[in-house]
């Protein structure tokens, strides 16, 4: 067997997980099946999440059609500076996540992969900090639905109910993504070469891209409505 074949076989043996290591397939073949299965699995998961968020967006659309003026007035109360900054941070993190996913397929790009993963995490954390500042401002302005809500129009509370629910769910998903990327970095530092050809990198980066896409929908819904005129 050639040196390249030996390397691929060792890589496959190192990364095989249940049940792929019990199928009776040879190392590289089993590894290829495992990689395809992992990718297929994350796409199935993302599809289920799309159904979940799709229902949430459909609910927003119905309420927006029923209370267009109130929703536009409420959206003007959101902080577009914070929202735009977070959009830039998250889209930039998605760029570095994509680079990390591609770099992880080449063993000689270990340092680039680690740097891109680290930058992805830092940008994700920066997003959370900015969102925390925005939440603090919202509390100070009494923009939390309830007895002391600042806006007079009743339907504006529906908008901010959606705002708090959707951004909190997005923050939970982003926190999971940060945890996944931190795990990859930690595993690579403990066992150099872990990221090379590992399907876990591609799976984590696909999840991160999904979190980015959700925010791309939330940004115009929460921050741009009512500001076009």
């Amino acid at each position: 067997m050639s040196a390249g074949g030996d390397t691929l076989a060792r890589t496959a043996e190192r990364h095989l997980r249940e049940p792929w290591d019990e199928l009776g397939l040879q190392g590289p073949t089993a590894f290829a099946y495992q990689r395809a299965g992992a990718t297929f699995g994350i796409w199935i998961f993302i599809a289920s999440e799309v159904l979940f968020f799709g229902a949430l967006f459909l609910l927003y659309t119905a309420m927006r059609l029923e209370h267009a003026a109130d929703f536009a007035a409420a959206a003007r109360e959101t902080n577009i500076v914070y929202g735009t900054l977070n959009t830039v941070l998250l889209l930039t993190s998605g760029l570095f996540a994509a680079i990390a996913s591609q770099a992880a397929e080449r063993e000689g790009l270990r340092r680039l992969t680690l740097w891109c993963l680290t930058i992805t995490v830092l940008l994700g954390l920066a997003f959370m900090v900015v969102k925390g500042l925005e939440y603090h401002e919202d509390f100070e302005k009494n923009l939390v639905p309830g007895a002391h809500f600042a806006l007079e129009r009743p339907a504006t509370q529906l908008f901010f109910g959606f705002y708090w629910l959707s951004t909190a769910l997005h923050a939970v998903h982003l926190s999971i993504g940060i945890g996944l990327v931190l795990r990859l970095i930690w595993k690579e530092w403990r066992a150099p070469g872990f990221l090379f050809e590992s399907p876990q990198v591609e799976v984590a980066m696909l999840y991160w891209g999904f979190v980015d896409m959700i925010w791309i929908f939330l940004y115009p819904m929460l921050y741009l409505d009512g500001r076009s005129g």
Side-chain angles (χ1 to χ4, degrees), residues 94-163:
L95 171 63
F96 282 99
I99 295 173
S101 181
Q102 293 297 310
E105 298 179 3
R106 297 166 176 82
E107 194 170 16
L109 298 179
R110 176 177 181 267
R111 180 175 296 182
L112 175 62
T113 305
L114 282 173
W115 271 110
C116 288
L117 290 175
T118 301
I119 293 172
T120 299
V121 167
L122 291 176
L123 290 172
L125 291 173
F127 178 99
M128 299 294 283
V129 170
V130 173
K131 178 53 65 178
L133 294 173
E134 184 178 5
Y135 280 165
H136 181 264
E137 180 182 274
D138 293 334
F139 275 109
E140 288 189 331
K141 293 167 63 176
N142 291 322
L143 292 177
V144 181
H148 303 290
F149 189 68
L151 304 181
E152 294 182 358
R153 297 180 180 180
T156 55
Q157 294 202 45
L158 292 176
F159 174 90
F160 273 97
F162 176 84
Y163 166 86

Side-chain angles (χ1 to χ4, degrees), residues 90 93-94 97 120-121 124 174 177-178 181 204-212:
L90 207 55
S93 75
T120 299
V121 167
L174 180 58
I178 291 172
V181 179
M205 297 305 99
L206 283 172
Y207 177 82
W208 193 278
F210 163 73
V211 175
D212 280 4

